[in-house]
Amino acid sequence: MANNTREKLFAEFPPVPTEKWEEAIAVDLKGADYERKLVWRTDEGFNVRPYYRAENLEGIKFLGAQAGEFPYVRSTRNNNRWRIHQSVAVTDPEEANKEALHLLNAGVNSLGFEILKEEFSAEDLDTLTREIYLPAVAITFSGSKLAAVADLVLAKLEKEQVNKDEVNISFEIDPLVKGLSTKGDFQSPNNGESCFQRIAGLIKKFAPYKHIRVVTVSGQIFGNSGSTIVEELAFALSAGNDYIARLSEAGVTAEEAARSLRFSLSITSNYFLEIAKLRAARMLWANIVKGYNPEKSCSCKMMIHAETSRWNQTVYDPYVNMLRGTTEAMSAAIGGVFSLEVTPFNRSYETPDEFSKRIARNVELLLKHEAHFDQVVDPAGGSYYIENLTQSIAAEAWKLFLDLEQKGGYAEAYKQGVIKEMVEASAASKDKKIATRRMTLLGANQFPNFTEVAPEQIGQEVVTRTHAEGNVLTPYRGAMAFEQMRMTVDRSGKAPKAFMLTCGNLAMARARAQFSCNFFACAGIRVQDNTYFKTIEEGVKAALESKAQIVVVCASDDDYAELAPRIKEQLEGKAILVVAGAPACAPELEAQGISNFINVKSNVLETLKFYLKEMGI
């Protein structure tokens, strides 16, 4: 009876073929170009359609595999219980231990110990891990002299006879990515070609421990330096493959090398693409390792640690970083990771405090205990959109991976400058999009807090982008150019003001006033909005009384031909006159000495720098 009811219900909704959808879209477009209006051209090298249907899944080979099954697109396991990770700086092992115990009691179950102490001893390790039950916590060691730290950890595990199957420890030893990206080449004995012999030795020592990862491929360096999602993935995979090759030459099997690798990736605010990136990453890595013919398929499983992006964090309006971190954490949780660290919202301008760390870990606790993201494996699986994104990202990343292989692998490609050149090109493209507001960084280049002034304790170095010489990567934040400009204004001792002279057509006047206020406030210029002036004389009088250095005439395109010249005449050069919009009469206005225009096509950064220079800032 139920089946008959179901059949009758759906009989009232006959299937609609794609052609009918396309016909309806064409009517709605009213002759506009379909590709320009509806197709998203991503930075990743592929286009995204406005909608997807079941027919768009045809030809995708990885469909059908379940969680825990090769090629692990859906997951490397049959659950989604990721670990909540937070880092602790270790200068004083006693204090670091107190902080670690506090974090564990607050819901963290994955600790990152950054060893900053110059001489780190076995006694220091005992102090650092006191009262921590090692099998219950995933621990990652980073910092200096990690090979020596690894030896201390091994000695401790053997001394305490910790269950070899239960302990879960990783080391951020990474000469290929972290080493090359900071040095440009293997330049020292500690970071030279001989380091792979030492890494191979550590892998052999830790061989009885199933869940110890000696090497971490620091893929987040690429994302935080401005790379695309595809580049970050391809470079990380290439470095991972290079590790297998080099460690195989150093005396360990490819299977042992693969099982000793951990990948660390950044997660940006590109919500759906990041979900797809993680799914594509597992699939591609599984196929790379499979090419070495391992005896056990478990070595094909990719262990992914993720951290929310530092590249898109802002110093101004910093609480927006909480929103970014939340959506990025959602991408990581849905995409499936082993562990996740949400970057504290104030990480870009000060050492995170207890409040910001609490907010960061609470994001994950909420996703687990209130949103129940950990109760569903690969919730995006089967989505026509996500499956197609996964396929597209995998295809582009694989293409780039093969290009790097033809150049001799990751290390050789890096030494040739290929990687730096690609990352810098992608970063420059993003910078241009931020400057022209084709990419939004809320609080920096769009919708700034008009009244905000940077606290005095935040130095100029926080917002100043550095460019290291040589073949090295330099992580930065996309908002830095706007922040540096705004902080210069904040600390100039001046109070530049832009006055909105709203006149003519009321609706257009208000719309353009809002646009212009948002535009000038991005530089820290104080804006004075006005509802409407009935006459030009009234508006100019109020503008002069405000002592604003910039007067923005806000009206309709049809109004400007008459109103703008009159306003210019009455201002008598006492303020910079700006026209909001790109009216057809612009050439005529320019002929009358009106040369300043702002509109949606303006390079906001360069335009604002020009006006600041005109005002002597």
Side-chain angles (χ1 to χ4, degrees), residues 92-107:
D92 180 344
E94 184 78 34
E95 291 302 313
N97 173 258
K98 290 179 182 177
E99 182 177 356
L101 292 174
H102 167 68
L103 294 178
L104 293 176
N105 287 325

Side-chain angles (χ1 to χ4, degrees), residues 324-367:
R324 296 186 181 103
T326 300
T327 61
E328 290 163 4
M330 288 173 67
S331 292
I334 292 172
V337 294
F338 173 80
S339 57
L340 168 64
E341 180 165 22
V342 174
T343 305
F345 74 90
N346 57 349
R347 169 68 175 74
S348 60
Y349 59 88
E350 65 182 2
T351 301
D353 54 17
E354 172 52 28
F355 173 71
S356 63
K357 288 183 177 181
R358 175 172 170 263
I359 294 296
R361 63 177 173 266
N362 278 357
V363 168
E364 297 188 61
L365 290 169
L366 286 168
L367 291 179

Side-chain angles (χ1 to χ4, degrees), residues 408-453:
Y410 177 83
E412 290 305 313
Y414 193 96
K415 291 177 186 178
Q416 294 167 24
V418 173
I419 302 223
K420 180 183 179 183
E421 182 179 346
M422 292 186 69
V423 171
E424 288 189 341
S426 296
S429 175
K430 287 184 177 181
D431 292 340
K432 185 175 180 180
K433 288 181 178 180
I434 291 170
T436 56
R437 294 209 287 207
R438 287 162 57 206
M439 178 184 289
T440 297
L441 285 177
L442 199 65
N445 74 337
Q446 190 73 282
F447 307 117
N449 182 339
F450 290 4
T451 61
E452 184 179 13
V453 176

Side-chain angles (χ1 to χ4, degrees), residues 75-327:
S75 179
T76 58
R77 52 198 173 168
N78 60 4
N79 66 72
N80 193 26
R81 292 191 290 273
W82 78 90
R83 290 180 180 260
I84 300 173
H85 185 94
Q86 283 199 304
S87 300
V88 178
V90 183
T91 51
D92 180 344
E94 184 78 34
E95 291 302 313
N97 173 258
K98 290 179 182 177
E99 182 177 356
L101 292 174
H102 167 68
L103 294 178
L104 293 176
N105 287 325
V108 167
N109 55 2
S110 178
L111 289 170
F113 287 127
E114 184 182 7
I115 308 300
L116 301 176
K117 192 172 186 289
E118 188 63 30
E119 297 296 331
F120 190 77
S121 64
E123 183 180 353
D124 290 331
L125 180 61
D126 287 339
T127 301
L128 180 63
T129 58
R130 188 174 57 229
E131 296 184 38
I132 296 176
Y133 181 57
L134 296 180
V137 184
I139 297 178
T140 299
F141 290 93
S142 63
S144 59
K145 301 179 181 178
L146 286 181
V149 173
D151 285 331
L152 294 176
V153 170
L154 178 62
K156 180 178 177 64
L157 294 176
E158 292 180 342
K159 177 184 176 182
E160 297 180 3
Q161 296 184 335
V162 178
N163 190 316
K164 292 180 172 60
D165 293 341
E166 293 182 0
V167 66
N168 200 311
I169 296 175
S170 300
F171 300 92
E172 291 192 6
I173 297 173
D174 187 14
L176 279 181
V177 178
K178 189 176 287 186
L180 282 176
S181 70
T182 55
K183 293 180 168 46
D185 203 344
F186 299 118
Q187 296 173 339
S188 68
N190 292 331
N191 197 33
E193 298 287 351
S194 62
C195 68
F196 295 102
Q197 291 289 343
R198 189 165 189 188
I199 293 172
L202 287 174
I203 291 174
K204 291 176 181 176
K205 290 178 183 178
F206 282 114
Y209 296 85
K210 292 183 178 180
H211 306 295
I212 288 187
R213 307 277 174 155
V214 175
V215 174
T216 295
V217 179
S218 307
Q220 78 278 3
I221 289 174
F222 306 118
N224 289 327
S225 297
S227 78
T228 67
I229 286 173
V230 162
E231 286 168 350
E232 180 189 41
L233 177 54
F235 296 155
L237 292 171
S238 181
N241 186 55
D242 209 337
Y243 271 121
I244 293 178
R246 289 171 181 268
L247 292 172
S248 296
E249 293 174 358
V252 299
T253 67
E255 185 171 354
E256 290 173 323
R259 287 176 54 191
S260 297
L261 292 179
R262 169 182 179 262
F263 289 81
S264 180
L265 301 174
S266 68
I267 304 294
T268 69
S269 296
N270 204 329
Y271 186 75
F272 293 108
L273 264 67
E274 288 293 354
I275 295 172
K277 178 185 77 176
L278 296 171
R279 303 173 86 245
R282 288 191 294 271
M283 176 177 66
L284 294 178
W285 181 244
N287 281 285
I288 288 171
V289 177
K290 185 181 179 182
Y292 288 95
N293 298 314
E295 291 183 10
K296 297 180 180 179
S297 61
C298 61
S299 60
C300 299
K301 295 180 179 181
M302 188 183 204
M303 181 182 183
I304 303 175
H305 167 73
E307 63 175 42
T308 59
S309 178
R310 299 182 183 185
W311 181 87
N312 61 12
Q313 283 207 328
T314 58
V315 168
Y316 283 89
D317 215 350
Y319 294 120
V320 178
N321 294 328
M322 295 182 187
L323 304 180
R324 296 186 181 103
T326 300
T327 61

Side-chain angles (χ1 to χ4, degrees), residues 397-419:
W398 187 248
K399 189 189 305 179
L400 180 52
F401 171 83
L402 293 178
D403 287 344
L404 297 175
E405 288 303 294
Q406 290 180 350
K407 290 177 172 59
Y410 177 83
E412 290 305 313
Y414 193 96
K415 291 177 186 178
Q416 294 167 24
V418 173
I419 302 223

